Structures are given as C-alpha cells and as structure tokens.
Amino acid sequence: QMAEDLPQIVVPKTYSEYTSRKVLTTSWLEGEKLSQSTADDVGDLVNIGVICYLKQLLDTGFFHADPHPGNLIRTPDGRLAILDFGLMTQVSNDIKYGMIEAISHLIHRDYEAIVQDFVTLEFIPEGVDLSPILPVLAKVFDQALEGGGAKNINFQELAADLAQITFDY
C-alpha cells in the first residue's frame, strides 16, 4: 500500500533466503545521501519522507525506527530511498492516537497539552511534576518550528533535545 500511496519512495528488495535474525540482505540502490545532496528537490523529498514516516507511524503502526541520514538517499531518478529496515517497531493504537493528539497540539503550539502527551506516550512517567518541563519543551519546539517548514527542521537535533528532556525529568 505504501508504494501505491507514495510512489516517490523506493525501498530495496529484501532477499529472505540470505537474511537472518542478525543479517538483513537487500538489493543495492544507487544514490547520494539526502543530507549531502545539492539537488533542487531535496526539500520536497524531506517532506515526502516526513509524510512516509507519519503514514508508517500513524496509519500502519509498524515503522522504520532508524531514520538517520545514512539511511535516506536520493536516487538518480529523484526518488527518496529508505534503507536498512533492520530496526523496526510496532506501536499500539493507544500510542498512535496519542501521537495524533501530540501532532495536533504541536501544530497549535499547545505546549501544556504536549507535556501531558509525553505522559500519555510513556516518555515521562505518571506522577512527575510537569511544571518545570513546560518552559524547556516550549523552547525546544519554538526553535524547531521557527520557520521554513520540515526541510529546515534538524530532526536529529530535535530528537536529541526531546530525549534529553525525557531523561532529565
């Protein structure tokens, strides 16, 4: 279904007969790291990647859990290739719905609700005093959202900042 909905995404073929629990064997795909590409369509491909990951996370609940820059390449024909499906995870419907609510709260910059979403999503345990988290979280999201759309968000830095918040609190 993903290939039909997002034809701009390409995934290498998996060779099951050469794959084990510790080794994932796939076809080779030509391309350049998306993060190093100077092509004019990189911003569009970043947006397609965001849509792809949101679809995986919020629609199927089964998604690629290792989206670092080395696993995202721009193919010569201008498509986004997602590599290395060795780290996959599945989320429950409760978590999917919690993510949808968190995205809605993020769009509306309702940071008080996002702090509560962190509890719902089990990033922060129940019973933790959330009041000191709010200003830190607001600062992180304000910096990430200050303009330019998804292509200007440093997702690696954002993820690191959010992980630090959940670790600290």
Side-chain angles (χ1 to χ4, degrees):
Q1 181 65 39
M2 188 76 70
E4 190 176 302
D5 291 346
L6 294 170
Q8 310 92 325
I9 300 284
V10 62
V11 173
K13 179 183 188 294
T14 299
Y15 293 99
S16 300
E17 63 274 20
Y18 303 112
T19 296
S20 69
R21 184 170 154 16
K22 294 184 178 184
V23 176
L24 176 63
T25 307
T26 65
S27 62
W28 181 263
L29 292 178
E30 290 293 330
E32 61 184 335
K33 284 184 180 180
L34 189 63
S35 62
Q36 296 174 354
S37 178
T38 58
D40 292 338
D41 61 355
V42 168
D44 293 335
L45 291 176
V46 168
N47 288 335
I48 302 263
V50 170
I51 291 167
C52 179
Y53 276 89
L54 288 174
K55 185 169 180 52
Q56 289 174 58
L57 183 62
L58 303 177
D59 187 18
T60 68
F62 189 65
F63 70 103
H64 185 285
D66 193 18
H68 64 78
N71 285 342
L72 304 170
I73 64 173
R74 184 191 180 279
T75 63
D77 65 352
R79 294 190 294 165
L80 176 63
I82 301 175
L83 309 177
D84 188 5
F85 284 80
L87 185 58
M88 299 290 294
T89 193
Q90 192 161 10
V91 295
S92 68
N93 282 338
D94 287 344
I95 297 295
K96 284 195 301 187
Y97 298 137
M99 292 296 282
I100 291 167
E101 287 179 351
I103 290 168
S104 174
H105 296 145
L106 183 58
I107 289 168
H108 293 97
R109 295 190 183 210
D110 184 352
Y111 299 138
E112 287 184 29
I114 291 174
V115 173
Q116 187 57 52
D117 293 333
F118 270 45
V119 175
T120 302
L121 294 169
E122 302 173 4
F123 297 148
I124 297 174
E126 294 237 13
V128 169
D129 179 13
L130 302 177
S131 58
I133 301 171
L134 181 59
V136 178
L137 193 69
K139 180 181 174 196
V140 166
F141 280 126
D142 279 341
Q143 287 173 345
L145 298 171
E146 53 185 24
K151 70 182 177 189
N152 290 330
I153 295 174
N154 182 333
F155 287 99
Q156 201 166 11
E157 190 175 300
L158 176 61
D161 289 344
L162 293 177
Q164 189 63 49
I165 290 169
T166 61
F167 179 77
D168 289 345
Y169 298 97

